[in-house]
């Protein structure tokens, strides 16, 4: 079945630094990928839709300059959290679509200290 | 996409069938019912989806009412590893973003 690989699984960074999270579709091409964030005991919140070769579409209330998304190839999308602050600490999850629906990565636990 | 309503939580005895309901009274004719689950600190896992006919795979069965306004996900023999949050999502098939509601916390107990 379809596999989506997300790295890193955990990252701790200092406040003010930037962190890049990668999302790769391993055995299929994904023209569209999605990025979610999830706070403890809450549901997944869609942040943005990542389109290969074009600008990402951000959901209302999500700062595009804060969460930079790049989808340069059909198998890779990246999310960069810029100038991270403790309130950006969260669980970030990507997903990619194929002919069978959407497959999710295993998530990235970001802790900003 | 149509909204869904699910119970906040449910308990199920190990080995018994777990029946998780979902209401989607505003579903459109071209919208599918999808079920995903999320085990703690992992990404969501696809379970099953359907349009109007009942569906079954190796993980679960999906029963959709004739008017399509509600559905039930059935895990035939629940195990402790089925403890997770189960999300019922309604959307047009392919290419559309998945919007998650609160889901149902299923606790399987021995």
């Amino acid at each position: 079945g379809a596999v989506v690989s997300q790295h890193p699984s955990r990252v701790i960074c200092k406040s003010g630094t930037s962190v890049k999270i990668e999302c790769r579709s391993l055995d299929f091409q994904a023209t569209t990928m999605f990025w979610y964030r999830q706070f403890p005991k809450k549901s997944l919140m869609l942040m943005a839709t990542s389109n290969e070769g074009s600008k990402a579409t951000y959901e209302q209330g999500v700062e595009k300059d804060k969460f930079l998304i790049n989808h340069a190839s059909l198998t890779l999308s990246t999310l960069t959290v810029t100038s991270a602050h403790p309130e950006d600490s969260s669980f970030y999850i990507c997903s990619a679509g194929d002919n069978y629906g959407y497959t999710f990565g295993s998530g990235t636990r970001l802790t900003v200290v | 996409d149509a909204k869904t309503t699910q119970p906040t939580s449910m308990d199920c005895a190990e080995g018994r069938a777990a029946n998780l309901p979902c209401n989607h009274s505003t579903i459109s004719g071209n919208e599918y019912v999808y079920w995903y689950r999320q085990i703690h600190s992992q990404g969501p896992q696809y379970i099953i989806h359907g349009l109007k006919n009942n569906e079954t795979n190796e993980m679960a069965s999906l029963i959709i009412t004739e008017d399509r306004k509600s559905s039930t996900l059935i895990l035939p023999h629940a195990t402790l590893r089925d403890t997770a949050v189960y999300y019922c999502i309604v959307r047009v098939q392919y290419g559309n973003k998945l919007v998650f509601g609160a889901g149902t916390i299923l606790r399987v107990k021995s």
Side-chain angles (χ1 to χ4, degrees):
Chain A
V3 178
V4 173
S5 175
Q6 188 173 341
H7 290 282
S9 58
R10 289 178 177 271
V11 58
I12 300 173
C13 72
K14 291 185 177 181
S15 186
T17 63
S18 295
V19 174
K20 180 184 287 188
I21 302 169
E22 292 188 348
C23 181
R24 294 181 184 272
S25 55
L26 296 187
D27 49 5
F28 65 99
Q29 294 182 331
T31 56
T32 303
M33 291 185 177
F34 303 93
W35 288 96
Y36 296 82
R37 69 186 298 182
Q38 185 176 33
F39 292 108
K41 298 187 178 181
K42 298 294 184 182
S43 185
L44 286 78
M45 184 191 78
L46 180 66
M47 299 175 66
T49 301
S50 169
N51 302 298
E52 188 267 335
S54 64
K55 291 183 178 181
T57 303
Y58 291 82
E59 295 298 306
Q60 189 173 8
V62 178
E63 300 175 59
K64 62 180 181 180
D65 295 330
K66 173 76 171 175
F67 300 99
L68 299 179
I69 291 172
N70 183 277
H71 194 158
S73 78
L74 288 172
T75 60
L76 174 64
S77 176
T78 61
L79 168 68
T80 301
V81 182
T82 63
S83 186
H85 291 285
E87 57 265 32
D88 298 323
S89 297
S90 188
F91 191 53
Y92 293 86
I93 308 168
C94 70
S95 74
D98 66 358
N99 288 336
Y100 301 99
Y102 289 116
T103 301
F104 287 80
S106 54
T108 297
R109 176 77 57 194
L110 170 63
T111 303
V112 185
V113 297
Chain B
D1 296 328
K3 291 187 176 180
T4 62
T5 304
Q6 298 178 252
T8 302
S9 65
M10 295 180 65
D11 290 340
C12 177
E14 188 179 19
R16 303 298 293 269
N19 298 285
L20 291 91
C22 179
N23 285 323
H24 31 79
S25 58
T26 61
I27 191 170
S28 300
N30 62 345
E31 288 182 315
Y32 286 70
V33 180
Y34 280 77
W35 283 85
Y36 285 77
R37 73 179 183 184
Q38 185 180 25
I39 296 170
H40 183 61
S41 293
Q42 297 182 24
Q45 176 189 24
Y46 166 81
I47 301 173
I48 199 167
H49 77 282
L51 182 62
K52 55 183 178 181
N53 296 323
N54 298 337
E55 302 287 344
T56 296
N57 62 20
E58 64 278 4
M59 288 184 68
S61 294
L62 174 61
I63 309 298
I64 302 174
T65 58
E66 192 169 343
D67 62 8
R68 304 209 322 123
K69 293 185 177 181
S70 65
S71 60
T72 301
L73 177 74
I74 301 172
L75 307 178
H77 305 286
T79 70
L80 297 178
R81 288 177 293 180
D82 292 322
T83 292
V85 181
Y86 287 76
Y87 297 99
C88 169
I89 301 169
V90 171
R91 70 174 185 89
V92 176
Q93 193 177 28
Y94 305 148
N96 228 26
K97 56 190 178 184
L98 281 176
V99 178
F100 287 79
T104 296
I105 300 171
L106 175 67
R107 301 185 190 91
V108 180
K109 300 182 176 182
S110 58

